[in-house]
Amino acid sequence: MKKLVLSLVLMLMVVGAYGQNYNAVRESWYKNELFLEPTRFFEGTFALGYQRNFYNSAFSLMPSVTLMGESIFRNEDNFFSELEGFGLEGIYKVFFARMPRKVQVYAGPYVSYRFLKEQNSWPNYLNIADYPELTGNSDLITNYEIIMGGVLFGVHFMWGRFTMDLNVGGGVRYPIITGFRDSGIKDPENNLPIVSVPTGFGEFGYKGVVPKTNISLGVAF
C-alpha cells in the first residue's frame, strides 16, 4: 500500500511539473510590441505604433506626425513651402497558425486617416498685388484629408524581443482637398489657373485604387 501511495504521489508530481513546463512554453512569448517604420523618415514622418498579439490574431495602431520643409523626395512646384500634419492607421491581422511562432503569416484589413497642412509659398514671377482675393498668409494654405482602406498580406517575425513585419496589399484612396490649391484662382492675363491640385499617381491629391506596403521594426515586451 505504501508503495502504491508513493507511486501515485510521484505520478502527480511529474504531471504537475509537466503541466507547469507546458504552460511556461505556451506563455513564453510577448504579447505587446512597439514598432516604427524607418522608411517614413524619408517623407518627414515619424510613425510609432503599438501591437497587441493574441493566439489567433493581432491588432496594431500606429499614429504618426509629419514635419517637412522643402524636400528633394517630393514632387514640388513653385507654390510649395512647408508641410505638417498627423495620421492614424489601424490593422487587424488574422494569423494562419496559432501563436506562439517565430514566423507568422497573416492577412487582414486596414484603415488609415491622414491630415496634412501645406503652407504654400508665393513665387517671385507673380505679383501678389494682382490677386486681391488673397488677403494674407492664411489664403496660401492647402489642407489635405486622406482616407484609405483595404487588405494586407504579410509575414511577422519574432526573435525573442526583436520583431520585424513585412506586408503588401492595396486598397482605395480618397482625398479631400481644400484651400489655396483648390481655390480656382486664375491669372488675370491669360485667365488660366495659377495653381492646381497634384493628382498624379503618388501625389497627395491622387484618388483611386493604390498598392500599399509596410516594413516595420520593433521590440516586444
Side-chain angles (χ1 to χ4, degrees):
M1 179 63 70
K2 290 183 179 181
K3 291 183 179 181
L4 179 60
V5 173
L6 181 60
S7 298
L8 291 175
V9 171
L10 291 174
M11 185 179 298
L12 290 174
M13 291 175 63
V14 170
V15 171
Y18 175 79
Q20 291 179 357
N21 291 334
Y22 179 71
N23 289 334
V25 170
R26 292 182 63 88
E27 298 297 334
S28 64
W29 58 291
Y30 302 100
K31 296 182 176 61
N32 302 286
E33 298 180 32
L34 287 177
F35 62 92
L36 56 82
E37 292 187 9
T39 57
R40 300 285 294 275
F41 294 146
F42 293 104
E43 60 178 46
T45 299
F46 177 74
L48 179 65
Y50 168 78
Q51 177 165 304
R52 175 65 177 180
N53 297 315
F54 304 98
Y55 284 113
N56 299 308
S57 61
F59 177 75
S60 70
L61 194 65
M62 182 177 63
S64 62
V65 176
T66 298
L67 293 171
M68 185 173 66
E70 294 189 24
S71 170
I72 62 173
F73 297 106
R74 180 174 179 270
N75 293 329
E76 303 168 5
D77 56 27
N78 291 322
F79 292 93
F80 173 75
S81 180
E82 296 178 349
L83 197 70
E84 62 181 49
F86 62 89
L88 186 64
E89 178 178 281
I91 305 175
Y92 181 71
K93 304 174 180 179
V94 179
F95 295 149
F96 285 7
R98 185 177 174 85
M99 288 292 278
R101 293 178 65 90
K102 292 183 178 180
V103 181
Q104 183 67 268
V105 180
Y106 67 86
Y110 75 91
V111 292
S112 69
Y113 171 83
R114 193 177 186 186
F115 173 82
L116 296 170
K117 182 177 74 173
E118 183 184 55
Q119 177 67 54
N120 303 111
S121 59
W122 190 260
N124 295 328
Y125 62 86
L126 291 177
N127 186 0
I128 196 170
D130 294 334
Y131 302 88
E133 57 268 62
L134 298 175
T135 58
N137 290 334
S138 61
D139 292 329
L140 298 178
I141 291 176
T142 303
N143 294 322
Y144 302 87
E145 293 184 83
I146 303 169
I147 303 169
M148 294 181 62
V151 178
L152 292 173
F153 300 88
V155 182
H156 182 269
F157 302 89
M158 180 180 287
W159 301 292
R161 289 186 180 272
F162 174 75
T163 67
M164 182 171 67
D165 195 288
L166 309 173
N167 59 50
V168 65
V172 177
R173 187 181 195 276
Y174 187 84
I176 301 172
I177 304 170
T178 57
F180 175 62
R181 288 190 178 276
D182 193 45
S183 62
I185 298 175
K186 297 181 178 180
D187 189 327
E189 294 185 0
N190 54 30
N191 201 34
L192 295 176
I194 62 172
V195 69
S196 61
V197 173
T199 57
F201 185 79
E203 295 281 2
F204 292 135
Y206 180 78
K207 177 172 63 176
V209 177
V210 294
K212 180 175 176 60
T213 182
N214 294 319
I215 301 175
S216 65
L217 303 174
V219 292
F221 61 95

